[in-house]
Amino acid sequence: MLYTQTEVQALTPIRETVEKQAALDLRDAFLCHAWDDRQGAAKELHDLLESAGVKVWFSEKDVGLGVPLLRAIDKGLANSRVGLVLVTPALLLRLPKEGIADKELSALLAGERLVPIVHNTTYEALREVSPLLASRAGLNTKENTMAEVAAKIAELVNLGRPSSP
């Protein structure tokens, strides 16, 4: 797997957190996304991650009928090793409205386990909406395909796990 120097710098603190949490029984990743992306880019990323063996908390499959959404999200955040924020034009429109994605982002910004994934937008556009999130280097689908992004995330979260025989 080839990483740019920027990706190495961005992922090293998260890698250290993942290694510390390897012994815990957690989901590998919490996928934060805009509601509008749930059947598009977010589902595509979720499916690629799952096919790579990553256990993903994804609201579309993890929030059951009649379950309080915010409590389910809170549990998902608490029980995930890393947080992925899928930054799309739809997310950039939603964040200023301070909805659910904004709440998820606030929780993820508090720790060293956040990986932004910029898709169909730019860090410059993100900086206008969320300077804190834009200050976190991550992955970009202009530089990697969505499948390559998923492979890099899979490699990251599989650190410290015993290899299969």
Side-chain angles (χ1 to χ4, degrees):
M1 184 95 33
L2 297 175
Y3 293 89
T4 66
Q5 183 61 31
T6 303
E7 289 173 344
V8 169
Q9 290 173 336
L11 297 177
T12 295
I14 299 156
R15 183 177 303 271
E16 291 167 358
T17 301
V18 167
E19 288 171 342
K20 289 176 191 169
Q21 295 177 330
L24 303 175
D25 183 24
L26 302 172
R27 291 285 178 100
D28 295 316
F30 179 96
L31 180 54
C32 173
H33 60 88
W35 178 256
D36 304 355
D37 292 325
R38 71 190 185 287
Q39 295 298 323
K43 182 166 182 0
E44 177 188 1
L45 179 57
H46 166 269
D47 292 350
L48 287 166
L49 289 166
E50 291 268 320
S51 70
V54 178
K55 295 185 291 183
V56 182
W57 192 97
F58 183 52
S59 58
E60 288 301 291
K61 73 166 197 239
D62 287 295
V63 179
L65 187 61
V67 173
L69 180 60
L70 287 178
R71 186 61 191 124
I73 289 169
D74 195 40
K75 287 179 182 178
L77 286 164
N79 293 310
S80 296
R81 296 166 68 206
V82 299
L84 308 175
V85 179
L86 183 61
V87 180
T88 63
L91 184 78
L92 296 179
L93 290 173
R94 292 246 177 215
L95 287 179
K97 296 176 183 172
E98 299 181 2
I100 291 172
D102 182 65
K103 289 174 178 46
E104 293 171 354
L105 176 58
S106 294
L108 292 170
L109 281 168
E112 283 297 333
R113 55 186 197 124
L114 170 63
V115 179
I117 300 167
V118 177
H119 179 66
N120 290 337
T121 189
T122 64
Y123 268 94
E124 293 75 29
L126 174 57
R127 198 167 288 109
E128 293 175 18
V129 175
S130 178
L132 285 174
L133 181 57
S135 72
R136 307 281 181 106
L139 302 170
N140 192 328
T141 59
K142 284 187 180 175
E143 299 165 4
N144 301 278
T145 66
M146 193 70 90
E148 291 168 335
V149 165
K152 288 180 178 184
I153 297 298
E155 190 271 337
L156 175 70
V157 300
N158 283 318
L159 290 171
R161 283 193 188 156
S163 24
S164 300

